[in-house]
Amino acid sequence: MSKAIIEIKDMTLVLGGRTILNIPHFALLEGQSISLMGPNGAGKSSLMLVMAALLEPTSGTVVYFGKQAHEQSLLNLRRRMAMVFQKPMMLDSSVMENVEMGLKFRGLSRRARERQVTPWLERLGINHLVRQRARSLSGGEAQRVAIAQALVLQPEVIFLDEPFSNLDKGTRDEFKQDIGSLLRENSITTVMVTHHIREATDLTDIIYYMEDGEIISRQVTSDYLAVDEFSRQG
Amino acid sequence: MELIWEGLVKAFYLLMALDPEVLEVTWLTLKVSGTATLVSVLIGVPLGAVLALGRFPGRNFLVSLANFGMGLPPVVVGLWVSIFLWRSGPFGAFNIIYTPLAIIIAQAVIASPIVTSFTLAAIQQINPRIRLQLLALGANRMQMLWSLVKEARLGLLAAVMAGFGGVVSEVGASMMVGGNIKGMTRVLTTATVMEVNKGNFDVAIALSVILLGLAYGVTALLTTLQQWRNQR
Ligand SMILES: Nc1ncnc2c1ncn2[C@@H]1O[C@H](COP(=O)(O)OP(=O)(O)OP(=O)(O)O)[C@@H](O)[C@H]1O
Ligand SMILES: [Mg+2]
């Protein structure tokens, strides 16, 4: 049995007087890749922020890598994880500076940064954009840059909040393949939010459905595939 | 009309002749106000950033103080700085009063709240999602602060312009703590007031034109710097 990387117990999140999240128990295991699905406003993004130690829950406990948040350095904790936001925010500098920002924060030399960044730029097809100002990128380009920005950090856990939502269909399919094998190769624990069942089944092992701040069901995606096959045959 | 014309002609003449006295006053003005602005940036930018990002008791009070401080009357600042620097004052032993340093101190007091408030506003305007993004990328406190200051650089240049504009144009404080001593603490504004008092309106107009030119020149330089990247 692999160990829990993030474990949530009796957690609630209240924002502006409203209960946004209410999670009695949830665990993300090492090497697992899961999807969060559910309607708009269900709390998927908020749950990700809590899991990424970017948002403090109102009550309850969250255990990261076996320790509670207050028992460890939040900075070190955050540096083991990476997040691709639903709406990527670029800093007002070049694409290159944006992509290598996290590595810079971790104190890597210019050379080391370049060595680490270059392969990802090629893999994500943004090599030609490196000198462009990040704020002038198209939605899809910004999303690629955001994915690169997260992957260059070689995180133990990655959070992807609707990472393909701005990509055109061709790119989306290509990316899905590529990112999928990439995450598997590097056995990065993955949490992804998506509204597309195919993305969830192709990229992750378990789907959690959320509604009104609660996790209402859990499905193993291989079951889905079986159903899918079945319905196609029928 | 004639007076204005004569003044402009005189200004042109003084400038073209590179009148050493005028040059000296102009140079001192630039040095003193430039240094005071620099000091106020060193104080105001970190302070503004901390006020924009921090949550601590007394924060709101400090913010209102900074905003209030933007309108500090230079004469009042001049008076209080004088009181502290007078021979009999708490810092009298340093013999600073009636030196350029005294003017720099007084002008820094005037400009610091301006720079602080502008910085505060510029950093608060940054989308809060940027802060979240920086946290997620693993920024520590200093890296966060520095990244946001860089992000707010356009607003910060506005802060520098406002600070410099505020001090280069004030006369009350420079007069009180500097004393308008020829060749020592005479700056463009105090010289202008003096020439008016003496009835030398043409010289006064000439000095005012130079002051405007100086203020415009520095602002134009900073504006070019500010708009540089947007044009690419
Ligand atoms: N800072 C906040 N203050 C108040 N309410 C908030 C805040 N942030 C989020 N919410 C609310 O919390 C609820 C959950 O938001 P969240 O972004 O987690 O939903 P989501 O499941 O990701 O939705 P979507 O599919 O649209 O991205 C929403 O109703 C939202 O309005
Ligand atoms: Mg969301």
Side-chain angles (χ1 to χ4, degrees), chain A residues 67-79:
Chain A
K67 282 189 214 152
Q68 289 194 35
H70 60 86
E71 293 171 323
Q72 55 187 319
S73 143
L74 267 183
L75 182 64
N76 289 341
L77 176 56
R78 288 185 188 125
R79 285 183 177 177

Side-chain angles (χ1 to χ4, degrees), chain B residues 138-173:
Chain B
N140 65 25
R141 251 170 230 266
M142 278 314 288
Q143 291 164 336
M144 168 74 73
L145 210 70
W146 180 237
S147 301
L148 290 176
V149 164
K150 271 206 304 203
E151 197 64 19
R153 60 184 175 271
L154 294 186
L156 294 190
L157 278 166
V160 175
M161 284 188 248
F164 182 78
V167 295
V168 81
S169 62
E170 70 78 31
V171 59

Side-chain angles (χ1 to χ4, degrees), chain A residues 15-16 18 20 39-46 86 162 195:
Chain A
L15 291 174
R18 249 179 69 210
I20 307 295
N40 294 135
K44 306 178 295 293
S45 297
S46 306
Q86 188 168 2
E162 304 189 31
H195 291 288

Side-chain angles (χ1 to χ4, degrees), chain B residues 172-197:
Chain B
S174 300
M175 193 67 105
M176 293 184 82
V177 304
N180 190 35
I181 300 166
K182 185 178 173 192
M184 165 99 153
T185 58
R186 181 163 298 167
V187 291
L188 283 167
T189 51
T190 56
T192 306
V193 170
M194 181 190 69
E195 298 297 346
V196 169
N197 286 341

Side-chain angles (χ1 to χ4, degrees), chain A residues 63-127:
Chain A
V63 178
Y64 305 93
F65 302 100
K67 282 189 214 152
Q68 289 194 35
H70 60 86
E71 293 171 323
Q72 55 187 319
S73 143
L74 267 183
L75 182 64
N76 289 341
L77 176 56
R78 288 185 188 125
R79 285 183 177 177
R80 299 172 73 171
M81 311 193 273
M83 162 92 83
V84 175
F85 288 90
Q86 188 168 2
K87 295 176 218 146
M89 264 327 264
M90 293 294 136
L91 281 129
D92 191 13
S93 53
S94 71
V95 166
M96 187 61 174
E97 280 171 80
N98 270 273
V99 173
E100 61 172 25
M101 183 90 48
L103 297 174
K104 206 170 173 184
F105 288 157
R106 285 160 178 75
L108 269 75
S109 72
R110 198 191 170 84
R111 269 200 165 176
R113 295 202 298 265
E114 208 173 289
R115 206 174 325 120
Q116 205 148 323
V117 162
T118 310
W120 294 110
L121 297 175
E122 302 211 345
R123 193 144 182 188
L124 292 167
I126 50 174
N127 228 337

Side-chain angles (χ1 to χ4, degrees), chain B residues 40 64-81 105-117 162-163 165-167 169-174:
Chain B
S40 70
S64 63
L65 209 63
N67 288 335
F68 162 73
M70 289 215 285
L72 276 186
V75 178
V76 175
V77 174
L79 174 65
W80 281 94
V81 172
I105 293 172
Q107 292 194 345
V109 172
I110 294 170
S112 291
I114 299 176
V115 176
T116 305
S117 283
V167 295
S169 62
E170 70 78 31
V171 59
S174 300

Side-chain angles (χ1 to χ4, degrees), chain B:
Chain B
M1 245 357 256
E2 209 170 301
L3 186 69
I4 297 174
W5 180 244
E6 271 172 23
L8 290 175
V9 169
K10 179 87 178 179
F12 183 75
Y13 173 77
L14 282 175
L15 277 176
M16 284 305 107
L18 295 177
D19 181 276
E21 204 181 321
V22 172
L23 280 186
E24 192 183 358
V25 171
T26 307
W27 176 231
L28 185 71
T29 305
L30 191 63
K31 259 197 314 197
V32 164
S33 294
T35 311
T37 306
L38 190 71
V39 171
S40 70
V41 164
L42 294 179
I43 296 172
V45 169
L47 197 62
V50 167
L51 287 177
L53 302 175
R55 274 190 227 148
F56 48 87
R59 178 190 168 275
N60 287 351
F61 174 70
L62 286 174
V63 171
S64 63
L65 209 63
N67 288 335
F68 162 73
M70 289 215 285
L72 276 186
V75 178
V76 175
V77 174
L79 174 65
W80 281 94
V81 172
S82 304
I83 291 174
F84 276 89
L85 298 184
W86 270 332
R87 306 265 186 266
S88 56
F91 300 108
F94 294 109
N95 268 332
I96 304 173
I97 190 113
Y98 305 134
T99 65
L101 180 58
I103 308 183
I104 290 172
I105 293 172
Q107 292 194 345
V109 172
I110 294 170
S112 291
I114 299 176
V115 176
T116 305
S117 283
F118 269 74
T119 303
L120 173 73
I123 290 185
Q124 273 186 332
Q125 258 178 18
I126 297 174
N127 192 324
R129 295 215 317 267
I130 292 254
R131 281 169 72 177
L132 210 55
Q133 171 85 62
L134 288 166
L135 270 190
L137 286 172
N140 65 25
R141 251 170 230 266
M142 278 314 288
Q143 291 164 336
M144 168 74 73
L145 210 70
W146 180 237
S147 301
L148 290 176
V149 164
K150 271 206 304 203
E151 197 64 19
R153 60 184 175 271
L154 294 186
L156 294 190
L157 278 166
V160 175
M161 284 188 248
F164 182 78
V167 295
V168 81
S169 62
E170 70 78 31
V171 59
S174 300
M175 193 67 105
M176 293 184 82
V177 304
N180 190 35
I181 300 166
K182 185 178 173 192
M184 165 99 153
T185 58
R186 181 163 298 167
V187 291
L188 283 167
T189 51
T190 56
T192 306
V193 170
M194 181 190 69
E195 298 297 346
V196 169
N197 286 341
K198 288 202 291 197
N200 297 335
F201 290 105
D202 51 352
V203 183
I205 289 177
L207 292 173
S208 74
V209 168
I210 294 169
L211 178 59
L212 285 179
L214 183 70
Y216 176 75
V218 170
T219 310
L221 193 77
L222 289 171
T223 306
T224 310
L225 213 66
Q226 186 188 43
Q227 301 302 322
W228 191 308
R229 292 194 62 137
N230 285 353
Q231 278 154 14
R232 278 203 301 184

